[in-house]
Amino acid sequence: MSGYNLDDPVELLCALTEINSVNSTLVPGAPGESAIADFIGQWFSDRDFDVKRLEATPGRPSIVACSKGATSTSKIMLNGHIDTVTIASYEGDGLKAIRKDGNIYGRGTFDMKGGLAAQMIAAHRAVQQGITGQVIVAAVSDEEHGNIGTEEVLKHFTADVGIVAEPTMLGLTVAHKGFVWFELTINGLAAHGSRHDLGIDAISKAGYALVALDKYGAELTSRPHVKYLETPSVHASIIRGGEELSSYPAQCVISIERRTVPGETPSGVRAELVAILDEVAATTKDFSYELDGGFARAPLQVNEDHEIVRIIQDHYFQHTGTPVKFRGEWYWTDAALMNDAGITTVLFGVDGEGAHAATEWATESSVHIVADVLTDVVLQWCN
């Protein structure tokens, strides 16, 4: 890393890109976040931040860097995840940062080490210029799978407001969808394949549920559009059933994902599914089911008049001369966990392309813009 100027956001991004931080839950045997956590922790220590390493799950650390010497109670949390998806599917060397045509290529440059580098630089610059409040940078593990990093951070730290620097193409994201996961088990009756008089085919019966699910999906996407997010949706993700060719399957299990919009609740979504499945059971011979699961992540919605939104708008305009564009994301992020913990949180991050793709890049100009805007946002919030 000695060749990089670690006080420049683009060169810091290059250094971060060249540290393998592939999520070890997604890719068994991958190194996880330990090496990049070491690097980030040392980077902040060298700049006189108070550094905490949180590692309730061994090998899956998060780093929380807090500015020192606050004389007011104002706090802002900048959150960025340090894990990436696999490099196996990356074209070329995903761990080599390549600067070309105004872009930085490499795994994680866009999602989301570009935003993280900008946040680190912004926090340092703001402290150098002088703040009376506190800036907290949470560099978190496991966002790409189970979000254990942000969940652990929120047990120990809080703030008034937060910014997650997921790649938003320099837009300001004030809403995103949530989700609920269900396991639907269709019950059959095991029997020898020759005994149609005894067996009930759980897989065939599952077909009725899938047709009903398809109709449900069409109904969801015809609902009135929610600002920035359009409509909820549903799909069957995984189906498992049967044991051998000459047997009637006793069970067929369908994993279902239901994407939610603000205003929807897991209990309300479950009630919709139960009503649909009860209707199938009432009209289909020998159809019986069980609906389990219900793991949920809430959607995000922040008022466009909130102070943190206005501050980002103002400083974005000052640095670019153009109004920031409001966005909604159809995917879920750690911002919802922060919001649920009482930290009003929005998303603002770099431009580029290729999240989880074979080629990935962030634009150098957007990394600088995010760093510049966030520096001024931290200065204003913390003074």
Side-chain angles (χ1 to χ4, degrees):
M1 304 299 172
S2 59
Y4 290 119
N5 171 12
L6 299 182
D7 288 310
D8 176 86
V10 169
E11 295 202 35
L12 178 58
L13 168 56
C14 291
L16 293 171
T17 302
E18 294 183 354
I19 302 170
N20 188 337
S21 58
V22 173
N23 187 305
S24 56
T25 305
L26 289 178
V27 183
E33 299 90 352
S34 292
I36 196 168
D38 292 345
F39 174 86
I40 292 169
Q42 188 62 54
W43 189 93
F44 276 111
S45 290
D46 290 345
R47 287 155 184 81
D48 200 33
F49 277 70
D50 185 16
V51 176
K52 296 282 193 299
R53 185 185 183 101
L54 302 178
E55 197 169 355
T57 303
R60 310 304 303 277
S62 297
I63 296 293
V64 183
C66 303
S67 61
K68 297 177 180 177
T71 56
S72 75
T73 58
S74 298
K75 286 186 182 182
I76 186 168
M77 181 182 289
L78 308 179
N79 176 301
H81 69 82
I82 58 180
D83 60 319
T84 72
V85 294
T86 182
I87 54 174
S89 58
Y90 196 89
E91 285 184 7
D93 186 354
L95 296 178
K96 183 172 176 60
I98 297 173
R99 297 177 71 169
K100 181 182 176 185
D101 301 328
N103 301 324
I104 311 99
Y105 292 82
R107 172 59 80 222
T109 50
F110 181 62
D111 181 21
M112 63 161 278
K113 291 176 178 179
L116 176 63
Q119 290 181 321
M120 292 167 65
I121 294 293
H124 175 48
R125 286 178 180 170
V127 169
Q128 285 183 309
Q129 293 179 47
I131 56 175
T132 59
Q134 186 176 53
V135 58
I136 301 167
V137 181
V140 299
S141 63
D142 194 44
E143 190 277 342
E144 296 290 4
H145 180 261
N147 317 98
I148 59 174
T150 291
E151 286 189 325
E152 186 176 4
V153 167
L154 293 173
K155 291 176 182 175
H156 303 279
F157 295 90
T158 190
D160 312 315
V161 293
I163 300 169
V164 174
E166 287 279 9
T168 63
M169 281 59 78
L170 293 176
L172 178 51
T173 297
V174 293
H176 68 57
K177 291 186 179 183
F179 62 86
V180 193
W181 289 340
F182 296 100
E183 289 276 290
L184 171 62
T185 301
I186 309 299
N187 298 309
L189 188 61
H192 190 275
S194 66
R195 295 304 303 267
H196 65 84
D197 56 324
L198 297 179
I200 298 174
D201 183 349
I203 295 175
S204 291
K205 297 301 178 187
Y208 293 93
L210 290 169
V211 169
L213 196 68
D214 192 46
K215 289 180 181 175
Y216 179 41
E219 185 272 317
L220 288 174
T221 54
S222 69
R223 290 184 182 180
H225 282 203
V226 174
K227 193 174 185 181
Y228 304 124
L229 300 177
E230 291 195 5
T231 67
S233 62
V234 69
H235 68 274
S237 306
I238 305 167
I239 187 163
R240 305 180 295 279
E243 294 178 22
E244 57 196 14
L245 208 54
S246 290
S247 295
Y248 277 81
Q251 281 191 335
C252 182
V253 180
I254 305 168
S255 298
I256 296 170
E257 182 179 69
R258 169 69 155 76
R259 291 280 165 162
T260 56
V261 295
E264 293 190 305
T265 63
S267 60
V269 167
R270 181 185 177 85
E272 287 183 354
L273 266 175
V274 166
I276 289 163
L277 294 166
D278 283 350
E279 174 67 19
V280 175
T283 56
T284 307
K285 185 174 183 287
D286 294 331
F287 182 95
S288 82
Y289 77 92
E290 294 154 22
L291 188 64
D292 298 311
F295 177 80
R297 294 297 197 195
L300 174 77
Q301 187 173 44
V302 175
N303 192 312
E304 290 172 35
D305 292 329
H306 193 280
E307 188 176 0
I308 189 60
V309 175
R310 293 203 313 272
I311 290 173
I312 294 171
Q313 278 183 289
D314 290 346
H315 290 296
Y316 183 85
F317 186 80
Q318 287 171 21
H319 281 282
T320 67
T322 57
V324 72
K325 292 181 179 176
F326 285 109
R327 291 172 56 93
E329 311 299 344
W330 291 12
Y331 55 79
W332 184 87
T333 78
D334 279 340
L337 291 178
M338 294 170 65
N339 215 48
D340 289 349
I343 305 169
T344 302
T345 302
V346 295
L347 282 71
F348 174 66
V350 302
D351 195 5
E353 203 168 308
H356 303 205
T359 305
E360 181 176 357
W361 72 92
T363 68
E364 293 194 13
S365 60
S366 70
V367 175
H368 282 293
I369 289 169
V370 174
D372 292 344
V373 171
L374 291 183
T375 300
D376 288 347
V377 169
V378 172
L379 282 167
Q380 183 170 346
W381 191 268
C382 292
N383 286 319

